[in-house]
Amino acid sequence: DTAPASFHLRQTKLSHPTSSHHDPTKFATMKTAILASLIASAAAFAPAQQASTSTTALNAFESELGVQKPLGFWDPLNFLTGADEERFDRLRYVEVKHGRIAMLAVLGHVTTSAGYRLPGTIDASGTTFASIKTGIAGLSDVPQAGLIQIFAFIGFLEIFVMTDKGKGEFPGDLRNGMFQWKGSEEDLMQKRAIELNNGRAAQMGILGLMVHEQISGEPYVINSLLGYSSNFNAGL
């Protein structure tokens, strides 16, 4: 029952490999390579780096004018995700311009709702300014030729007058170097912030007036809630 000597010799060789197959340096190199591969694979699927990149891009605008409490930097529609300075300046220019238009719209809405009108007639047929309603309803009272003139005048201002010719100090600066504002840098920044915030409020304001005019015919809902009707377009 004794195994041949050759079997014991072969078993001894299998159980105790030679030193050429047990080089610690080669094992260490292999472990390092495997670890590096695992790290690279994990990094390829990790979203943390992408989030960090987006956060870094947005941080560039967190100190801009208009970023203030309580919302701070607020971009719910992600318009500035991945945006550069040129894109930001374009959006700020549009925001300032729309805010200015909205402020004029709210002022005109309140003024005409209070009963103030230009004297005289709007066309040769005798349509008076006093007979034209306020708000969206007034569009049907203005003669077609008058609407064409209004849109043509707005287009002229948009193309030739109210434009940034590259000489402005900030987005929305339409002075184009014609004159300078007086005051310290801090005062000027405060005035710009006031204009920006008032424009934002006016955009929401004129939108609310138009929506409630279409819903109930009474755009000034606070007056109605307090029991003091504005008598909007009464008698027109």
Side-chain angles (χ1 to χ4, degrees), residues 69-108:
K69 296 179 180 180
L71 296 178
F73 183 84
W74 195 57
D75 182 26
L77 299 180
N78 297 320
F79 284 125
L80 293 177
T81 301
D84 55 11
E85 188 66 28
E86 182 179 359
R87 172 64 173 168
F88 176 84
D89 290 344
R90 171 60 183 169
L91 293 175
R92 173 51 52 87
Y93 172 78
V94 172
E95 179 185 25
V96 171
K97 180 175 72 172
H98 287 177
R100 291 168 178 169
I101 295 172
M103 286 189 282
L104 290 173
V106 171
L107 180 61

Side-chain angles (χ1 to χ4, degrees), residues 26-43:
K26 290 185 178 181
F27 274 106
T29 304
M30 184 178 295
K31 289 179 180 180
T32 304
I34 294 173
L35 181 61
S37 300
L38 291 174
I39 294 175
S41 300

Side-chain angles (χ1 to χ4, degrees), residues 9-195:
L9 179 60
R10 187 180 295 111
Q11 188 180 37
T12 303
K13 289 182 178 180
L14 291 174
S15 303
H16 302 282
T18 59
S19 58
S20 61
H21 294 283
H22 194 62
D23 189 349
T25 304
K26 290 185 178 181
F27 274 106
T29 304
M30 184 178 295
K31 289 179 180 180
T32 304
I34 294 173
L35 181 61
S37 300
L38 291 174
I39 294 175
S41 300
F45 294 96
Q49 182 65 29
Q50 297 178 359
S52 177
T53 303
S54 299
T55 302
T56 303
L58 294 179
N59 286 342
F61 306 111
E62 287 187 345
S63 59
E64 292 288 345
L65 182 72
V67 178
Q68 59 190 37
K69 296 179 180 180
L71 296 178
F73 183 84
W74 195 57
D75 182 26
L77 299 180
N78 297 320
F79 284 125
L80 293 177
T81 301
D84 55 11
E85 188 66 28
E86 182 179 359
R87 172 64 173 168
F88 176 84
D89 290 344
R90 171 60 183 169
L91 293 175
R92 173 51 52 87
Y93 172 78
V94 172
E95 179 185 25
V96 171
K97 180 175 72 172
H98 287 177
R100 291 168 178 169
I101 295 172
M103 286 189 282
L104 290 173
V106 171
L107 180 61
H109 201 287
V110 172
T111 301
T112 53
S113 295
Y116 295 98
R117 298 288 196 282
L118 291 173
T121 59
I122 194 174
D123 60 6
S125 63
T127 304
T128 63
F129 286 101
S131 65
I132 297 176
K133 300 182 183 68
T134 299
I136 299 176
L139 293 175
S140 60
D141 293 338
V142 178
Q144 184 176 6
L147 291 175
I148 294 174
Q149 293 177 46
I150 292 172
F151 284 114
F153 180 65
I154 293 174
F156 173 79
L157 293 177
E158 178 74 15
I159 297 173
F160 299 105
V161 181
M162 309 300 289
T163 60
D164 186 351
K165 299 179 181 178
K167 298 180 181 179
E169 298 178 4
F170 50 85
D173 181 12
L174 304 182
R175 297 171 298 163
N176 294 308
M178 291 187 294
F179 59 90
Q180 296 292 326
W181 296 112
K182 295 182 179 179
S184 64
E185 185 67 23
E186 184 179 356
D187 292 337
L188 295 180
M189 288 295 291
Q190 182 181 17
K191 292 181 183 298
R192 287 178 57 197
I194 292 173
E195 179 192 32

